[in-house]
Amino acid sequence: RVPLLQAARKKNSLNLLGLTEAELEEQFVRGDGPGGQATNKTNNCVVLKHIPSGIVVKCHQTRSVEQNRKLAREILQEKVDLFYKGEASDVFKEKKASEKKKQEKKRRAKENLERKKHLKELQKLDKK
């Protein structure tokens, strides 16, 4: 089973629950990770908290505060949708579908590899 909050961040979700600015608590903090002075001296990391559910999102994907604010809201909206709707959420359904597709691709690749091995063995037997 897929943990619900890890399924977030999938695109093309249409029926997400709406968020109001009154429900959000926003902070700007210093980011971490690689980037040196550009990261360590600027407060462009956005920490967004949905007060009713207690879900917190930290976004430091770009150097721009505005882009990080937008991304944080998108991520938070998807996580809140998952939190309230659970397995009925579009985000969860997309995650399951992509996981199933990935497993099918893996299975086909494994079958092809087995066929190739079998073909090589037959070719070796024919040479003898």
Side-chain angles (χ1 to χ4, degrees):
R1 193 180 151 183
V2 179
L4 289 180
L5 295 181
Q6 287 182 0
R9 203 63 195 122
K10 290 283 151 196
K11 294 290 180 195
N12 304 327
S13 298
L14 302 174
N15 298 327
L16 297 179
L17 292 175
L19 298 177
T20 60
E21 290 297 317
E23 296 175 331
L24 304 178
E25 187 178 290
E26 186 174 45
Q27 291 180 319
F28 303 103
V29 296
R30 288 199 176 123
D32 55 357
Q37 184 175 1
T39 319
N40 299 335
K41 287 196 170 187
T42 57
N43 291 339
N44 56 3
C45 180
V46 177
V47 177
L48 204 55
K49 180 178 182 180
H50 185 249
I51 297 168
S53 65
I55 297 174
V56 177
V57 171
K58 186 175 181 182
C59 182
H60 188 236
Q61 295 179 5
T62 68
R63 292 173 68 179
S64 165
V65 176
E66 289 304 314
Q67 285 178 343
N68 285 335
R69 288 181 77 202
K70 183 180 176 203
L71 290 170
R73 278 170 173 69
E74 289 174 5
I75 295 168
L76 184 66
Q77 186 177 19
E78 291 174 357
K79 287 193 176 194
V80 167
D81 189 67
L82 278 170
F83 182 77
Y84 286 114
K85 291 183 180 177
E87 292 183 9
S89 170
D90 287 348
V91 178
F92 186 82
K93 290 175 185 174
E94 281 183 26
K95 177 68 176 175
K96 281 297 232 188
S98 69
E99 216 174 76
K100 193 173 183 179
K101 199 174 186 180
K102 186 177 177 181
Q103 287 175 349
E104 180 63 24
K105 188 175 180 181
K106 214 175 192 180
R107 185 189 62 76
R108 280 194 308 254
K110 192 174 179 180
E111 284 178 359
N112 284 339
L113 187 64
E114 290 296 322
R115 279 193 212 114
K116 286 179 182 178
K117 283 182 182 178
H118 186 67
L119 184 64
K120 282 184 181 182
E121 288 173 7
L122 289 176
Q123 288 174 347
K124 284 181 183 178
L125 289 174
D126 286 344
K127 287 182 182 179
K128 289 181 181 180

